[in-house]
Amino acid sequence: MQDLMKVAYLSRSLTRSIMGTGQELLFWPGMDINWKRILYAWGQVRGILLVPAMRLAVLLCIIMSVMLLAEKLFMGGVSLYVKVFRRRPRKVYMWEPVGGDEELGTAAYPMVLVQIPMYNEKEVYHLSIKAACSLQWPSDRLIVQVLDDSTDPFIKDLVYKECQKWTTTGVNIKYETRANRNGYKAGALKEGMKYRYVEACDYVAIFDADFQPKSDFLVQTTPFLIHNPEIALVQARWKFVNADECLMTRIQEMSMDYHFKVEQESGSSVHAFFGFNGTAGVWRIKALNEAGGWKDRTTVEDMDLAIRATLEGWKFVYVGDVKVKSELPSTLKAYRYQQHRWSCGPANLVKKMAIEIVMNKKVTLWKKLYLIYNFFLTRRIVAHFLTFFFYCIVVPTAVFFPEVYIPLWAVVYLPSTITILNACGTPRSIHLIVFWTLFENVMSLHRCKAVLTGLLETGRVNEWVVTEKLGDALLKMKPNGTQSFSKKARTKYFNRFHLLEIGLGLYLLVCGYHNYMHANNYCYIYIYLQSLSFILMGVSYVGTFVAS
């Protein structure tokens, strides 16, 4: 009986000693010498290695938090200034309508090429083709180029017939294919620029297969290029047709609205530079060629081109008043693939271009600093690592280390301010701010993995998976005219599980339980919510499931 009591006490004490040194157990009468050695070793490792490591981790995370907050405040201040003082692009740059000369007729309009790259876009191919062919521009001054890399013969036939249909209406539309998919989207765009008829064009507008520009898109954007020879790119804003589809798309809308309303607008206003979004933009072909054209060395060929163009001295303009309809990923699988590409690519790109940026002599030191520190380091590396390691690892793990102090302002006020600044871009979704925070924290795990993949150039560094678009396939009309979601997909059961997220969710459960039992704060509430988020997303209980 005495031995059983000894084991029970030892078990309880070991549990409590997780947050202590374990030294108090060394004085248990009759304790085995091996146990004393183990507990002594644990106390030494904890005191010499783990506690200092935790304190260093907290310090680094606080530094990164301050970096990110300063960046958010600066961009938010610029965006507010532009809005309050109405410093819109038309006031900053020269802008006049095109085609006012009756004597010149359609010759007053520059030749514009519209490129639509696509790959097995069964659900949306007709949307982008229709929108491009309906643009307000003289038919003899417009060329629509459909770059079809589809591997499904049935889909290729559908796209070809759609192009033929518009040809009969008088639209100058070209249907182009190639024998392989080398370079993916960048390879298709590069190949599309080689055709002889492109030589007559001055500008090229690019739209992904799910993008639907309004008919006056070229009328609103090309005057910036025509009247300002130093401008290389005019970028429009994305507007999402399926933002209300599910909670995941609402959360994405919050992030994307902040990106366009704050990040893109501040970059355009202060530095005349921002990352090209790969679609819904118009390029000056001369600038595109001077920058070296399309390259497929990373999964962010659009950002690559933008960096090279700005290093040549070209300026960019973001026009937030021009909105182009597009589609958000509504399935977790599609969103994960997209975020991997968007996180891995920039990390890989900065590794390839850092020296080139530093050594460049055509741009100012201020712009070089902006590119390296603000554009790449803070937004595309620090932001991801801070979100994951601080809020998902360091803060929960700190419950086992009561001697490690995390200031309240660092763990509450700083992240709350950053979160509110992000949410201001979408006022209608301000009530979803808690869900947005938890969702972004979970996705930061996936983004951190992608950043490391890009920096180390391992694994899926060059993986380019086309984001699945659903178009109208997801929805069906009810008799009363409202819309409802289709039935749950019959997907492979195992594919729904993401073990890393589930494992981290279970670890957070342990952290939350320990905090609840041994601490005098309410940190366990946040830890439990974050744990639940990891587990739910680990079993793919988020987004929309589409019947196959």
Side-chain angles (χ1 to χ4, degrees):
M1 180 62 70
Q2 186 177 5
D3 291 339
L4 291 176
M5 291 176 62
K6 184 187 298 185
V7 170
Y9 177 81
L10 180 61
S11 176
R12 291 193 300 270
S13 300
L14 279 172
T15 302
R16 290 196 300 270
S17 70
I18 293 177
M19 61 179 291
T21 64
Q23 302 300 313
E24 66 275 8
L25 297 178
L26 296 178
F27 301 102
W28 173 257
M31 176 177 285
D32 185 77
I33 188 65
N34 292 325
W35 274 109
K36 288 188 177 183
R37 288 173 178 173
I38 292 174
L39 292 174
Y40 178 78
W42 162 249
Q44 293 297 306
V45 170
R46 191 179 189 282
I48 297 175
L49 294 179
L50 298 184
V51 172
M54 279 295 298
R55 286 174 175 157
L56 178 61
V58 170
L59 177 62
L60 292 176
C61 288
I62 290 176
I63 292 173
M64 289 191 291
S65 296
V66 173
M67 290 171 58
L68 188 60
L69 178 61
E71 177 72 4
K72 298 282 186 183
L73 289 173
F74 172 75
M75 293 189 298
V78 172
S79 181
L80 183 62
Y81 169 81
V82 170
K83 185 174 182 179
V84 171
F85 293 94
R86 302 183 182 277
R87 297 292 294 170
R88 299 300 182 187
R90 289 195 186 187
K91 286 191 174 183
V92 178
Y93 298 97
M94 184 177 178
W95 189 97
E96 292 181 0
V98 187
D101 195 328
E102 294 183 0
E103 294 183 0
L104 291 176
T106 59
Y109 291 80
M111 283 290 296
V112 177
L113 173 71
V114 178
Q115 289 184 315
I116 309 175
M118 58 179 59
Y119 172 72
N120 292 337
E121 308 285 4
K122 179 182 177 182
E123 305 297 342
V124 295
Y125 72 92
H126 59 289
L127 300 176
S128 56
I129 294 177
K130 178 182 178 181
C133 293
S134 302
L135 291 170
Q136 296 176 12
W137 208 255
S139 59
D140 61 325
R141 310 298 292 174
L142 181 70
I143 303 175
V144 178
Q145 185 187 65
V146 177
L147 303 169
D148 189 11
D149 274 356
S150 299
T151 54
D152 187 326
F154 176 72
I155 298 177
K156 291 184 71 170
D157 185 59
L158 290 176
V159 177
Y160 174 75
K161 289 180 178 178
E162 183 72 13
C163 294
Q164 290 297 106
K165 182 184 75 173
W166 284 100
T167 299
T168 60
T169 64
V171 176
N172 186 4
I173 184 169
K174 308 289 186 181
Y175 176 76
E176 310 290 1
T177 61
R178 52 187 184 140
N180 54 64
R181 288 193 68 213
N182 292 342
Y184 304 106
K185 179 181 176 181
L189 293 170
K190 183 177 181 179
E191 195 69 24
M193 298 300 295
K194 294 180 179 179
Y195 292 96
R196 177 165 295 183
Y197 56 80
V198 176
E199 297 176 1
C201 298
D202 303 295
Y203 312 115
V204 54
I206 303 170
F207 300 103
D208 284 349
D210 60 314
F211 278 72
Q212 307 166 55
K214 292 183 179 180
S215 59
D216 64 346
F217 177 85
L218 294 178
V219 174
Q220 297 292 333
T221 56
T222 53
F224 289 105
L225 296 166
I226 295 171
H227 301 299
N228 302 275
E230 74 278 13
I231 294 178
L233 166 69
V234 180
Q235 173 73 59
R237 180 183 160 190
W238 297 2
K239 189 68 177 177
F240 309 108
V241 298
N242 65 330
D244 294 324
E245 186 171 297
C246 60
L247 179 61
M248 193 177 80
T249 53
R250 286 290 294 272
I251 292 172
Q252 288 180 68
E253 182 191 35
M254 294 174 69
S255 299
M256 294 303 296
D257 280 351
Y258 176 82
H259 169 69
F260 282 103
K261 291 182 178 181
V262 179
E263 291 181 344
Q264 298 296 72
E265 189 163 67
S266 63
S268 175
S269 302
V270 178
H271 306 280
F273 167 79
F274 46 83
F276 175 43
N277 294 114
T279 178
V282 187
W283 275 92
R284 187 186 302 273
I285 293 181
K286 178 184 176 182
L288 193 153
N289 292 333
E290 283 188 6
W294 294 101
K295 294 185 179 181
D296 58 2
R297 55 183 175 174
T298 69
T299 58
V300 283
E301 71 292 325
D302 43 14
M303 186 182 293
D304 188 346
L305 176 60
I307 297 290
R308 287 184 280 112
T310 198
L311 292 180
E312 290 293 326
W314 291 97
K315 294 182 178 181
F316 301 169
V317 176
Y318 167 70
V319 187
D321 295 333
V322 180
K323 302 174 184 178
V324 181
K325 292 181 180 179
S326 62
E327 181 181 325
L328 289 164
S330 57
T331 66
L332 181 60
K333 178 182 178 181
Y335 186 60
R336 282 167 60 93
Y337 276 126
Q338 182 199 68
Q339 293 303 298
H340 173 84
R341 189 172 77 247
W342 287 3
S343 301
C344 176
N348 190 225
L349 180 62
V350 71
K351 180 179 180 180
K352 295 178 183 296
M353 293 199 69
I355 301 299
E356 183 179 346
I357 294 173
V358 172
M359 300 301 294
N360 184 274
K361 297 181 180 180
K362 295 183 179 180
V363 298
T364 63
L365 180 62
W366 172 243
K367 179 166 281 191
K368 293 179 186 179
L369 179 63
Y370 170 74
L371 289 173
I372 296 292
Y373 176 80
N374 301 72
F375 186 76
F376 279 115
L377 179 62
T378 305
R379 291 191 224 165
R380 289 165 176 83
I381 297 179
V382 167
H384 300 326
F385 280 93
L386 171 67
T387 304
F388 176 63
F389 285 104
F390 194 28
Y391 307 127
C392 302
I393 300 295
V394 175
V395 171
T397 304
V399 303
F400 300 121
F401 298 87
E403 61 267 66
V404 176
Y405 173 67
I406 304 180
L408 185 64
W409 59 267
V411 77
V412 176
Y413 301 141
L414 273 182
S416 297
T417 305
I418 293 173
T419 302
I420 292 171
L421 289 173
N422 274 281
C424 287
T426 315
R428 80 183 188 101
S429 298
I430 196 73
H431 61 288
L432 300 175
I433 195 169
V434 173
F435 296 102
W436 179 87
T437 302
L438 297 173
F439 179 84
E440 286 295 302
N441 288 352
V442 177
M443 285 306 302
S444 67
L445 165 63
H446 195 62
R447 294 181 182 121
C448 281
K449 288 167 50 185
V451 169
L452 290 174
T453 299
L455 291 174
L456 302 177
E457 294 192 87
T458 60
R460 299 162 54 196
V461 63
N462 292 317
E463 183 181 57
W464 214 109
V465 179
V466 176
T467 305
E468 179 187 16
K469 290 97 176 178
L470 303 179
D472 298 327
L474 179 68
L475 304 174
K476 62 181 180 180
M477 298 300 295
K478 288 183 177 180
N480 60 5
T482 60
Q483 296 176 326
S484 64
F485 298 119
S486 57
K487 296 180 180 179
K488 185 178 294 188
R490 296 177 180 177
T491 57
K492 292 183 179 179
Y493 188 73
F494 183 76
N495 290 342
R496 292 189 56 180
F497 293 89
H498 306 288
L499 299 183
L500 198 56
E501 283 88 341
I502 295 174
L504 190 53
L506 295 177
Y507 170 72
L508 292 177
L509 272 180
V510 175
C511 295
Y513 175 76
H514 190 279
N515 180 260
Y516 175 76
M517 295 297 295
H518 299 285
N520 294 321
N521 56 50
Y522 297 94
C523 187
Y524 63 86
I525 297 176
Y526 160 74
I527 298 176
Y528 277 146
L529 288 174
Q530 193 63 71
S531 171
L532 180 62
S533 302
F534 269 100
I535 293 174
L536 289 178
M537 292 184 66
V539 296
S540 297
Y541 198 73
V542 66
T544 303
F545 294 91
V546 185
S548 57

